Amino acid sequence: KPGSAETDALYAQVRAEDQQAVQQLRHELEVSEQTKHLAELESERDDLQRERSRTNAKRTELLAREKQHRVELAKLEAIDRNRLGDKITNIELIADTHVDALEVQQKRLQLDSEVSILDVKIEEIKVKIKAQQDKISQLETDDTESRG
């Protein structure tokens, strides 16, 4: 049975050169496991970046709508300042447009926050990826030196 006490006891009696081959295979297994972990981290980073792109696209769409409302609001206020149109209608249109702009701004600000949080998460995972890459490089260097 692999990993059993009996196997370990028998393995302890194996010649050193045969143990060296097993050690090399264990090392290769460790490199493979660490490389798999790196791939998982990279996949997580890629997922976060896709989510950030989608969120940012929604955010910029809302920002454009917010600006459209602000342009319309500026036009309505200019009309009112120049005493054009019906005063009551002007006041109602200005108030409605202002409320619409604020609603869009509120949604956009929420997405600003989400994008910022995703940026932090992406940077954190990039640090983990770099550390994992360094770990794998060190394992490969150790292997080269031990064969040396």
Side-chain angles (χ1 to χ4, degrees):
K1 250 174 138 177
S4 71
E6 182 181 351
T7 301
D8 291 342
L10 291 173
Y11 178 71
Q13 299 171 40
V14 170
R15 292 183 311 212
E17 59 268 11
D18 289 335
Q19 285 186 5
Q20 181 62 31
V22 171
Q23 289 294 57
Q24 179 59 37
L25 290 171
R26 279 188 181 142
H27 182 78
E28 290 173 13
L29 173 61
E30 175 68 14
V31 171
S32 294
E33 288 172 347
Q34 295 303 324
T35 302
K36 177 181 174 268
H37 183 61
L38 174 62
E40 291 166 352
L41 289 171
E42 289 171 337
S43 178
E44 185 179 345
R45 177 205 56 208
D46 294 347
D47 290 346
L48 287 170
Q49 287 176 328
R50 276 190 292 281
E51 183 180 348
R52 187 204 184 279
S53 293
R54 284 190 297 272
T55 303
N56 195 50
K58 291 176 192 173
R59 185 190 72 79
T60 56
E61 177 188 330
L62 287 174
L63 183 60
R65 284 182 37 209
E66 184 180 338
K67 299 293 183 187
Q68 288 172 340
H69 286 301
R70 299 288 177 205
V71 167
E72 187 64 23
L73 184 60
K75 286 174 23 181
L76 292 169
E77 288 172 341
I79 289 169
D80 188 57
R81 267 193 312 278
N82 286 276
R83 294 190 168 95
L84 302 171
D86 178 59
K87 182 69 172 175
I88 293 173
T89 302
N90 289 349
I91 292 170
E92 290 172 344
L93 288 173
I94 288 170
D96 289 346
T97 304
H98 203 47
V99 167
D100 290 345
L102 289 173
E103 287 173 354
V104 172
Q105 182 184 37
Q106 180 183 15
K107 292 175 187 173
R108 192 245 328 143
L109 288 170
Q110 180 61 41
L111 292 177
D112 283 351
S113 168
E114 289 177 29
V115 167
S116 295
I117 289 168
L118 287 167
D119 285 341
V120 170
K121 289 180 178 181
I122 289 167
E123 284 309 308
E124 287 173 350
I125 199 96
K126 284 180 177 180
V127 169
K128 290 178 183 177
I129 286 170
K130 176 71 173 113
Q132 189 65 20
Q133 289 169 332
D134 292 347
K135 185 175 185 177
I136 291 168
S137 292
Q138 187 60 47
L139 284 171
E140 291 170 341
T141 300
D142 291 348
D143 182 46
T144 304
E145 290 172 358
S146 70
R147 288 187 195 187

